[in-house]
Amino acid sequence: NAVSDAVDYLVKIHDMDYERLWNNLNQTDKKIMIALSENEKNILNESFARKYGIRAVSTVFSSIKRLMAHGYVVKKNNSYELDDIFFAVWIVKRRNGLTE
């Protein structure tokens, strides 16, 4: 599939950039990024916080605000998503051990 190959190529050539961005995030921000890369939608509730090992919904909200200020996350239709879809693909591949 040409589209899949193109996505894989773009993720691969930006691997070091994504790694650098990832290493500058704190643990809570990483958890939020992981959740958003897995298409979690309802992230401002207690069950989400428990699922991802975050102590309070207020911590999730603070993290979202920080990630939005840095341009990693955008609000869309009353939910949040990663602004860079290729970064989301990189996160999923990394978590599944599929990066080189």
Side-chain angles (χ1 to χ4, degrees), residues 22-99:
W22 186 255
N23 287 332
N24 286 313
L25 297 173
N26 67 39
Q27 289 301 314
T28 301
D29 292 352
K30 287 179 181 178
K31 290 176 183 179
I32 299 298
M33 298 283 281
I34 289 167
L36 293 176
S37 72
E38 295 173 345
N39 295 315
E40 288 277 354
K41 296 296 180 195
N42 299 317
I43 64 172
L44 294 174
N45 61 53
E46 200 65 40
S47 64
F48 171 85
R50 277 193 309 273
K51 178 179 177 182
Y52 285 90
I54 301 171
R55 291 182 172 230
V57 175
S58 61
T59 304
V60 173
F61 185 70
S62 296
S63 178
I64 286 292
K65 282 178 40 180
R66 185 172 42 255
L67 291 167
M68 287 177 68
H70 287 20
Y72 295 120
V73 172
V74 293
K75 187 172 184 178
K76 196 174 198 179
N77 300 326
N78 292 324
S79 66
Y80 300 93
E81 59 186 48
L82 295 182
D83 188 44
D84 183 346
I85 188 65
F86 300 109
F87 195 11
V89 171
W90 181 87
I91 292 168
V92 169
K93 286 180 172 284
R94 185 174 191 263
R95 289 189 42 81
N96 292 325
L98 300 176
T99 59

Side-chain angles (χ1 to χ4, degrees), residues 10-20 90 99-100:
L10 288 169
V11 169
K12 184 177 179 181
I13 65 171
H14 291 289
D15 181 62
M16 293 296 289
D17 300 321
Y18 292 139
E19 186 74 34
R20 190 173 19 263
W90 181 87
T99 59
E100 294 180 9

